Amino acid sequence: MALYSEKVMDHFRNPRNVGVIEDADGVGEVGNEKCGDIMKIYLKIEDGIIEDVKFETFGCASAVASSSMATELIKGKPVAEALELTNKAVAEALDGLPAYKMHCSVLAEEAIKNALEDYYKKHPEAK
Ligand code: FES
């Protein structure tokens, strides 16, 4: 069996939503101390909906694929739904990750939660 699913390879080779949102409503950055990989997520939120999301990931193939898939999963969705996104859902949407690569999908979940926390800090009225 191939180590990575076709979806992982696809999202690694052609990552969706790569980039920066200059006037983001929320920015989240997380890192994994062990591997040193870093993920940054930018959110543009209007009326409780994630209108746009971009990411920058300095990390392994699984981390890039996880961030790409995670941004696709929350784009256009209500904030409440994005808050519930789990790393498992990201990994499942990618047709699975090798067990020792699951932590890479955790970065995506954490980066989004982090960005939403930042959003609530900057927009306390949105709570
Ligand atoms: Fe670090 Fe994948 S090895 S995020």
Side-chain angles (χ1 to χ4, degrees), residues 35 37 60 63 101 103-104 107:
C35 61
D37 292 350
C60 72
K101 283 286 177 183
H103 78 270
C104 316
L107 273 188

Side-chain angles (χ1 to χ4, degrees), residues 49-66:
I49 302 286
I50 304 199
E51 293 290 340
D52 199 11
V53 46
K54 293 257 188 284
F55 81 88
E56 291 177 304
T57 292
F58 304 97
C60 72
S62 303
V64 172
S66 294

Side-chain angles (χ1 to χ4, degrees), residues 3 14 25 30 55 61 110 112:
L3 185 54
N14 311 295
D25 297 305
V30 291
F55 81 88
E110 286 178 350
I112 289 173

Side-chain angles (χ1 to χ4, degrees), residues 66-87:
S66 294
S67 359
S68 169
M69 180 54 89
T71 56
E72 287 281 277
L73 289 172
I74 64 166
K75 204 172 184 175
K77 299 272 164 61
V79 169
E81 239 175 85
L83 272 172
E84 279 171 15
L85 182 74
T86 63
N87 77 297

